């Protein structure tokens, strides 16, 4: 007995549902692909900013820690321009050297009376270039360039400016 309310399944109904599901899956795939691309761009931007920020923050902190005039100097060691922060710990003199070697900003902490070997330094940040210029009144101009060519320059002074 056939009633007029009985529904017949047509192949077009199944095809429409399958097509709708396929469109939904494609939409999700495109969304994931674009999201991954945006995420990679964000991570690269953060890495770029992080290298400059890490280097400038570290150097600024060292200047603040060594705020006694005469304890910060710009010198040359093994043919490399180095920034030296001198300090006395338990009656013994030490020096922290900050310098550029290869593609890295490095730090070396050693006793003042020992022979410093710059190859023993610890990597702080990966940079393309690092410049230190001593200016009047013991100001120092620090210029950092990251591996993508972004540049940051700032002035620092140990202690109270004269």
């Amino acid at each position: 007995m056939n009633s007029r309310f009985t529904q017949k399944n047509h192949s077009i109904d199944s095809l429409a549902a399958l097509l709708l599901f396929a469109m939904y899956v494609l939409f999700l795939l495109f969304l994931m692909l674009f999201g991954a691309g945006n995420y990679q761009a964000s991570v690269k931007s953060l890495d770029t900013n992080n290298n400059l920020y890490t280097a400038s923050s570290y150097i600024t902190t060292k200047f603040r820690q060594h705020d006694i005039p005469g304890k910060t100097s710009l010198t040359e060691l093994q043919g490399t321009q180095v920034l030296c922060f001198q300090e006395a710990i338990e009656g013994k003199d030490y020096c922290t050297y900050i310098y550029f070697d290869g593609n890295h900003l490095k730090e070396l902490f050693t006793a003042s009376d020992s022979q410093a070997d710059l190859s023993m330094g610890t990597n702080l940040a990966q940079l393309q270039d690092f410049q230190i210029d001593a200016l009047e009144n013991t100001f120092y101009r620090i210029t950092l360039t990251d591996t993508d060519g972004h540049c940051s320059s700032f002035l620092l002074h140990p202690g109270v400016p004269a």
Side-chain angles (χ1 to χ4, degrees), residues 28-42:
L28 287 178
L29 286 174
F30 281 122
L31 186 65
M32 286 186 346
L33 287 174
F34 289 125
N38 287 338
Y39 178 75
Q40 287 176 343
S42 296

Side-chain angles (χ1 to χ4, degrees), residues 134-155:
L135 305 176
E136 294 179 17
N137 296 329
T138 64
F139 276 93
Y140 293 91
R141 180 190 321 269
I142 312 293
T143 306
L144 308 166
T145 307
D146 70 5
T147 55
D148 290 332
H150 300 105
C151 187
S152 175
S153 184
F154 50 95
L155 294 174

Side-chain angles (χ1 to χ4, degrees), residues 16-145:
L18 186 60
L19 185 61
L20 185 62
F21 179 72
M23 286 176 49
Y24 177 74
V25 168
L26 282 174
F27 172 74
L28 287 178
L29 286 174
F30 281 122
L31 186 65
M32 286 186 346
L33 287 174
F34 289 125
N38 287 338
Y39 178 75
Q40 287 176 343
S42 296
V43 167
K44 184 175 181 181
S45 174
L46 285 174
D47 285 344
T48 298
N49 291 337
N50 193 31
N51 276 334
L52 283 179
Y53 176 77
T54 298
S56 61
S57 176
Y58 184 82
I59 294 168
T60 302
T61 301
K62 280 296 181 188
F63 267 87
R64 289 180 181 156
Q65 289 174 344
H66 300 86
D67 60 353
I68 300 169
K71 294 293 185 179
T72 301
S73 62
L74 185 59
T75 187
E76 190 170 308
L77 187 63
Q78 297 175 348
T80 301
Q81 187 180 35
V82 296
L83 191 57
C84 177
F85 297 99
Q86 299 171 350
E87 61 187 303
I89 301 173
E90 295 182 5
K92 187 161 170 89
D93 291 331
Y94 293 92
C95 189
T96 301
Y97 297 106
I98 296 179
Y99 57 98
F100 184 68
D101 184 31
N103 285 336
H104 291 92
L105 181 66
K106 292 187 172 189
E107 174 200 48
L108 177 65
F109 179 78
T110 185
S112 294
D113 58 358
S114 70
Q115 287 285 25
D117 184 6
L118 297 182
S119 66
M120 301 296 291
T122 302
N123 292 344
L124 300 174
Q126 187 173 6
L127 299 174
Q128 181 179 333
D129 193 22
F130 173 67
Q131 296 292 323
I132 313 164
D133 298 314
L135 305 176
E136 294 179 17
N137 296 329
T138 64
F139 276 93
Y140 293 91
R141 180 190 321 269
I142 312 293
T143 306
L144 308 166
T145 307

